[in-house]
Amino acid sequence: MGKFKPKLILLENNDTLRNHAKSVLAKAGWDVFCHEVSRDALDMLEQSKEYLFALFISSYKLPKMEGDDILEKVKSISPVTRRMLIVPFERTDILISAVNKAEIHACITFPFKDEDLVAQAANCFKQFKTNLKRQRLKRVTAHQNKQMFRIAQKLKKKDEANKELVEMKKAKKLALISKLGKAENQYAPDINISLSEALEKKGATTSPEAFKKEFLLTFQTLKTFFDKVALRRQAPPLSLDLRDILASVTEKDQEMPAENEPADPDVMEKILKTTLRYAADAVDQVRTTLPEWDGFDTDRSGHALDPYFAITVTDGMTKAYIEKIKEFEDPLPTPTVADFLDLLRQKQISFGIVEDIAIEAWISAAFAGKILIAQGEPPIYGQDGNIEYHFKTDFTNPGKINEDGSIDFRERGNIPYVTKGDLLAKKTPMKEGRTGVTVTGHPIPVDEVADPVFLAGSGTELSEDGLSIHASLDGQPHRDILGTISINPDLIIPGDVDFETGNIDFKGHIIVKGMVKEGFTVKGISLTAKEVEGAVIDISGDLNISVGITNSKISAHGNIYAKFINHCSVMGFQNLVVQKEIIDSDILLSGSCKNPTGHIISSRITAKLGIEANKIGTPASTPCKLKIGVDQHIETLKKGMDAAIEASVKTADLLRNEIKKLEDQDQALYQDISEKAHVQDRAQLEIKELKKTLPDLQKTNDARKLQAATDEIRRLLDRAKAAEKALNGIFDSQDKLANQIEQLKAKLNQIEHKNKALVLEKQALTDFSKKDAPVPVLTVAKTIMVDTLVKGPQTVLILKEDRSKCKIQEVAVNENGMNYHEMMISDL
């Protein structure tokens, strides 16, 4: 069967039949793996990634699973693996079921002949190779199609971008040509003016006196116009000296006729043409020296239109108005659209300017009234998301406090309860805002909107639109501090949590009738127990301990209730309520620490919402360190998450680089596949052509040529086989690379999923930390000992003497305009 033996799994609990079949198949060249239990066989199939099993042979009946059910699972685990069923010859019903359910590829009835088993297995192996090759070719084709599609998409985008660029440049060119034409039409003098035509239009006689009078009138009109142009451009006046012009077109001793003397019409026409050329040259000179030729000149200090027009901008900077405030002084010309656009630029108004036609209409109306000259985009403010809960989320009644300080958790009052299908919560999604733009082109930012965490935990179902959560079972609804909603069924432990029960990890409410013993861990929604000693407790709801907690590590999202706490590490999102002692413990709380009837000794407590104590410290104990109004608990958790996210990001980057390397290797193999496939196809074509010549060579009895053709065909066949062998080797390499890439991508997906969960959890922590304002207050009902350290957000106080019945509070003080904080002590 080749260099490598094909592998098969034989699942049969009959020892005789299994051993015989294994012997027959091993002699036929198979690598046979035998199993008696279906689970073991399926696990082996699932774990084999590097080298696939070609065949899975199963008995029709095993102790825990039928053969058709087993082969159906084989189909889902490894679709490419062929499936064969061994059945008794009289059980055709089993065969029909296997064909319909598992889509088996072969069936052999026992007793069977050895050669039949070998033939059936060989046929399955042939199907396996054909199907594998088809899949490989499909993958190659799909990869090449994908590449060609990407290339086509890139070319299409590039072509569209080029077309768009060409159209933009064409439009820009046309606009510039139009602008240039308007400027030339507006400012260029008409050098084709004729005095004769002017007189004819006026109906005047064409006498020398009329020529002279019309010439002088036209000359003065042109000179006044060009002087105004120079004024508008703040350029020197145009020099149009009639004597110089006359001298250039007449004899040196000839002078301009006196007012009562006749004039030569030809000379007047020539003088007028020369005057126009002089003026045109002067205009060109102004254009060269002062390139800004589309309006009133501006500088840093102001604009020529400032004395005549006022621009006002609304408070929100989203509208700008312009109005005329002063009449023009002669010889100031009427400003154009370009002049007003230049004025707006000088005032830094660049966004939302009205169309030129609106400005032109205002100019034509002699600047009547105030007009809106520019309009920005007002901001659109978003709306925070909101969650409406359909159950009481702040149920914290732990039970009835007995006279001895213990808590009877059987008397808990009315506990919220829901049934399957009940609506638990409905979310109103946030509405994104939109940044505005001022008339000066600056953005008007809007606040980011908050999207509250809305997660469906155990016992709940999230709707398809992600906006409502329903109960999927009966029980007590619960929302943890990070926003996850769940339904708590109860787990009752009649005794202790010890070696008999092992560690407890239950997504619901846990009731322990006894104690949680040393070395054990309890995780769940909430926990009710008699006592905790030397254990690890991780609860997303309330922790209710009727006696006390000793030498344990506690983490709870809800409230913590206990009779005493001794040598513990406690981290909590809400309140800690202790009836008696807190001794030598490290406690971080986002809520408050309430010990109104007990004693705090040698402990380090941080509570964002303050501390209420009966007694603090003893003369012989280590001084307590108390922090109030500080949420060190949340900060500690966020630092841990940041470290975890950073580590995950680094791992993800390493995996991406590894995947990229493997994909590059896989890409390089496609070139080899193309080359080998080309060799194979070419060899087949040449063989086909040579075979066509064989009949003619046989007829001519040309033995030498016939032998040469036969040898060439054999050589081409060897070449085709070598190419096919090389292709199979490349395909095997690709399969290994594909398996490695698939495994790495699965790891990457897990890491990315974990990162997303961490980011969501960190967001929930941030949202939670903003809910309640810090309360930097310590209340002492009886005594607080000297050297106790009390620290607030801004200040620190170390008591210099014992105090009793007092309140210690950090306050903000303003004296003489200076703000500072101090820790104040006042009597109760």
Side-chain angles (χ1 to χ4, degrees):
M1 288 189 180
K3 183 177 180 181
F4 298 100
K5 290 184 177 182
K7 297 196 305 180
L8 69 79
I9 293 176
L10 175 60
L11 179 59
E12 175 59 68
N13 62 343
N14 185 302
D15 295 341
T16 303
L17 179 59
R18 183 178 66 252
N19 293 334
H20 178 71
K22 178 181 179 181
S23 175
V24 171
L25 292 168
K27 288 179 181 178
W30 287 88
D31 191 2
V32 185
F33 296 83
C34 294
H35 291 281
E36 301 176 39
V37 180
S38 58
R39 185 67 267 167
D40 295 340
L42 294 173
D43 286 344
M44 173 175 276
L45 179 67
E46 193 167 8
Q47 294 169 7
S48 178
K49 299 293 184 183
E50 293 295 327
Y51 189 32
L52 297 174
F53 281 95
L55 180 59
F56 192 108
I57 303 176
S58 174
S59 173
Y60 79 102
K61 191 173 183 63
L62 287 112
K64 293 187 177 181
M65 195 179 295
E66 299 289 337
D68 51 355
D69 292 328
I70 294 169
L71 293 178
E72 185 179 17
K73 289 187 176 296
V74 171
K75 176 187 173 185
S76 64
I77 293 170
S78 177
V80 72
T81 300
R82 304 293 96 178
R83 301 176 289 280
M84 181 189 295
L85 185 67
I86 302 175
V87 296
F89 70 92
E90 72 276 6
R91 295 296 303 273
T92 55
D93 57 322
I94 296 174
L95 178 59
I96 294 171
S97 175
V99 170
N100 292 333
K101 185 185 291 186
E103 297 180 5
I104 61 173
H105 303 97
C107 178
I108 189 165
T109 58
F110 67 87
F112 51 78
K113 294 181 180 180
D114 293 351
E115 54 269 26
D116 289 343
L117 177 61
V118 172
Q120 288 270 39
N123 186 52
C124 286
F125 182 56
K126 185 177 179 181
Q127 294 175 13
F128 171 78
K129 290 198 298 181
T130 302
N131 194 48
L132 202 61
K133 184 179 289 187
R134 187 182 297 113
Q135 285 188 357
R136 290 165 175 167
L137 291 175
K138 279 184 178 180
R139 192 169 71 246
V140 172
T141 304
H143 180 82
Q144 292 175 342
N145 288 343
K146 191 175 181 180
Q147 282 188 320
M148 293 183 69
F149 178 75
R150 286 177 178 172
I151 292 171
Q153 287 292 97
K154 287 181 181 178
L155 290 174
K156 184 178 179 181
K157 288 181 180 179
K158 190 174 181 180
D159 183 53
E160 290 175 353
N162 288 337
K163 285 182 179 178
E164 186 176 351
L165 185 61
V166 169
E167 292 299 325
M168 287 175 61
K169 289 189 174 181
K170 283 183 179 178
K172 190 174 181 180
K173 181 179 177 182
L174 291 173
L176 290 173
I177 292 172
S178 175
K179 188 174 182 180
L180 179 62
K182 288 180 180 179
E184 289 175 346
N185 291 335
Q186 184 176 359
Y187 299 114
D190 185 2
I191 60 174
N192 294 318
I193 293 176
S194 171
L195 293 176
S196 301
E197 293 177 359
L199 290 173
E200 288 179 6
K201 289 179 181 180
K202 292 182 178 181
T205 59
T206 56
S207 64
E209 291 80 4
F211 261 93
K212 179 181 176 181
K213 184 177 180 181
E214 185 66 28
F215 167 78
L216 292 173
L217 179 62
T218 303
F219 179 85
Q220 188 58 41
T221 301
L222 288 172
K223 189 174 187 307
T224 301
F225 169 76
F226 289 119
D227 285 344
K228 286 186 176 183
V229 170
L231 177 63
R232 290 179 60 174
R233 297 302 296 166
Q234 297 182 6
L238 299 179
S239 177
L240 294 177
D241 192 317
L242 192 56
R243 294 181 180 277
D244 294 338
I245 297 171
L246 184 63
S248 66
V249 297
T250 61
E251 295 179 2
K252 292 182 180 180
D253 57 349
Q254 187 174 350
E255 296 183 355
M256 185 70 183
E259 186 176 349
N260 56 355
E261 293 181 4
D264 186 348
D266 293 336
V267 173
M268 293 297 101
E269 292 280 10
K270 192 172 183 180
I271 292 172
L272 182 61
K273 298 289 186 183
T274 304
T275 302
L276 290 170
R277 281 197 296 272
Y278 273 39
D281 292 342
V283 170
D284 287 339
Q285 184 178 3
V286 171
R287 287 175 176 173
T288 304
T289 57
L290 298 171
E292 295 183 2
W293 179 250
D294 59 350
F296 285 79
D297 193 28
T298 63
D299 56 27
R300 298 286 181 184
S301 60
H303 194 278
L305 291 179
D306 281 343
Y308 308 100
F309 295 91
I311 294 178
T312 55
V313 181
T314 57
D315 291 340
M317 297 291 289
T318 56
K319 290 183 180 180
Y321 296 89
I322 188 170
E323 63 178 331
K324 187 178 180 182
I325 59 175
K326 182 181 178 182
E327 293 298 327
F328 297 129
E329 298 174 357
D330 191 64
L332 187 69
T334 302
T336 64
V337 173
D339 297 325
F340 286 108
L341 294 178
D342 191 55
L343 174 63
L344 293 174
R345 282 194 293 273
Q346 198 269 345
K347 303 298 182 185
Q348 298 183 351
I349 296 175
S350 58
F351 184 84
I353 298 173
V354 298
E355 297 290 338
D356 291 358
I357 190 171
I359 302 176
E360 289 173 353
W362 180 60
I363 294 171
S364 300
F367 314 108
K370 180 193 294 188
I371 68 162
L372 180 69
I373 194 73
Q375 182 168 358
E377 292 182 359
I380 297 176
Y381 296 97
Q383 183 178 345
D384 291 342
N386 179 58
I387 299 175
E388 179 186 0
Y389 295 96
H390 291 257
F391 63 94
K392 191 174 181 180
T393 60
D394 58 350
F395 176 76
T396 57
N397 182 14
K400 181 181 178 182
I401 300 176
N402 298 321
E403 292 181 0
D404 63 353
S406 63
I407 303 173
D408 184 0
F409 295 114
R410 291 173 296 180
E411 298 294 333
R412 302 182 66 193
N414 294 323
I415 301 173
Y417 190 84
V418 296
T419 58
K420 183 178 179 180
D422 286 351
L423 176 64
L424 301 176
K426 192 175 182 70
K427 179 179 180 180
T428 301
M430 66 177 184
K431 293 182 180 178
E432 292 281 1
R434 188 189 71 188
T435 300
V437 185
T438 66
V439 291
T440 59
H442 293 89
I444 305 174
V446 296
D447 293 335
E448 291 187 7
V449 291
D451 187 23
V453 176
F454 193 61
L455 298 174
S458 59
T460 66
E461 292 179 348
L462 184 66
S463 61
E464 290 186 6
D465 60 7
L467 297 179
S468 59
I469 295 176
H470 291 78
S472 61
L473 49 83
D474 299 347
Q476 179 184 345
H478 171 73
R479 183 201 67 179
D480 69 18
I481 206 66
L482 300 182
T484 303
I485 300 171
S486 57
I487 300 296
N488 305 343
D490 290 345
L491 171 66
I492 300 176
I493 308 295
D496 298 333
V497 174
D498 53 17
F499 287 102
E500 185 176 347
T501 63
N503 293 327
I504 304 296
D505 189 351
F506 179 68
K507 304 299 183 184
H509 180 57
I510 304 165
I511 301 174
V512 179
K513 300 292 188 179
M515 68 182 297
V516 182
K517 290 190 173 181
E518 183 176 358
F520 291 91
T521 299
V522 176
K523 294 182 179 180
I525 299 295
S526 59
L527 171 64
T528 298
K530 182 178 179 181
E531 190 173 356
V532 177
E533 183 176 344
V536 175
I537 308 297
D538 187 357
I539 297 298
S540 63
D542 290 346
L543 175 63
N544 304 304
I545 307 300
S546 61
V547 179
I549 307 172
T550 307
N551 294 317
S552 298
K553 184 177 181 181
I554 308 297
S555 174
H557 288 193
N559 295 296
I560 303 172
Y561 301 90
K563 188 174 181 180
F564 64 83
I565 291 179
N566 191 355
H567 292 87
C568 291
S569 171
V570 179
M571 296 183 71
F573 282 84
Q574 295 194 38
N575 302 325
L576 169 65
V577 181
V578 178
Q579 300 301 318
K580 299 238 174 176
E581 299 84 8
I582 299 176
I583 301 175
D584 194 19
S585 294
D586 291 289
I587 299 172
L588 299 178
L589 301 171
S590 294
S592 64
C593 178
K594 297 183 179 181
N595 184 229
T597 59
H599 202 156
I600 300 175
I601 303 171
S602 300
S603 294
R604 295 145 299 279
I605 302 175
T606 300
K608 177 184 176 182
L609 301 185
I611 299 173
E612 181 184 350
N614 183 43
K615 295 181 181 179
I616 299 175
T618 67
S621 65
T622 304
C624 293
K625 295 181 180 180
L626 310 176
K627 296 181 182 180
I628 49 178
V630 178
D631 200 346
Q632 189 176 340
H633 168 241
I634 293 295
E635 293 305 316
T636 301
L637 292 176
K638 287 169 73 173
K639 285 180 181 178
M641 288 181 185
D642 287 338
I645 291 172
E646 184 179 357
S648 291
V649 169
K650 289 181 179 178
T651 304
D653 289 340
L654 291 174
L655 287 174
R656 289 190 187 94
N657 291 335
E658 188 64 26
I659 290 171
K660 180 65 169 58
K661 290 178 183 177
L662 294 175
E663 288 178 340
D664 290 343
Q665 294 178 27
D666 186 58
Q667 177 66 30
L669 291 175
Y670 282 104
Q671 181 65 30
D672 295 339
I673 290 174
S674 299
E675 292 175 358
K676 301 302 179 185
H678 178 73
V679 169
Q680 203 174 24
D681 292 343
R682 187 64 188 170
Q684 293 294 341
L685 288 173
E686 292 181 13
I687 290 171
K688 186 176 180 181
E689 293 300 320
L690 285 170
K691 284 184 176 180
K692 289 180 181 179
T693 64
L694 292 179
D696 293 336
L697 293 174
Q698 289 172 348
K699 289 179 181 179
T700 59
N701 292 324
D702 192 335
R704 185 177 61 80
K705 289 185 179 181
L706 184 61
Q707 184 61 42
T710 305
D711 292 342
E712 181 64 15
I713 290 173
R714 189 179 297 110
R715 186 185 67 80
L716 291 171
L717 285 171
D718 292 340
R719 187 177 179 186
K721 288 180 179 179
E724 183 177 7
K725 184 177 180 181
L727 274 175
N728 289 332
I730 295 171
F731 286 143
D732 289 339
S733 298
Q734 279 194 319
D735 287 340
K736 290 180 180 179
L737 287 173
N739 288 331
Q740 292 175 8
I741 292 171
E742 183 181 350
Q743 293 173 18
L744 290 175
K745 285 184 175 180
K747 291 181 181 178
L748 181 60
N749 287 335
Q750 291 177 356
I751 290 174
E752 289 178 342
H753 181 73
K754 180 182 176 182
N755 273 351
K756 289 179 181 177
L758 285 171
V759 170
L760 277 176
E761 190 173 354
K762 185 178 176 183
Q763 178 195 341
L765 287 174
T766 303
D767 293 344
F768 172 76
S769 67
K770 296 176 181 178
K771 284 176 59 179
D772 298 315
V775 181
V777 177
L778 167 63
T779 304
V780 181
K782 289 187 177 179
T783 58
I784 178 170
M785 300 302 296
V786 64
D787 292 332
T788 301
L789 181 145
V790 182
K791 183 177 182 180
Q794 307 294 334
T795 58
V796 178
L797 171 68
I798 299 177
L799 289 180
K800 302 299 182 182
E801 59 182 357
D802 296 345
R803 295 293 299 260
S804 62
K805 296 182 180 180
C806 63
K807 179 169 75 172
I808 302 174
Q809 181 177 10
E810 181 182 280
V811 295
V813 180
N814 185 297
E815 287 187 4
N816 300 323
M818 298 291 292
N819 294 320
Y820 63 93
H821 295 80
E822 67 175 356
M823 198 73 75
M824 298 186 66
I825 304 178
S826 58
D827 295 331
L828 292 178

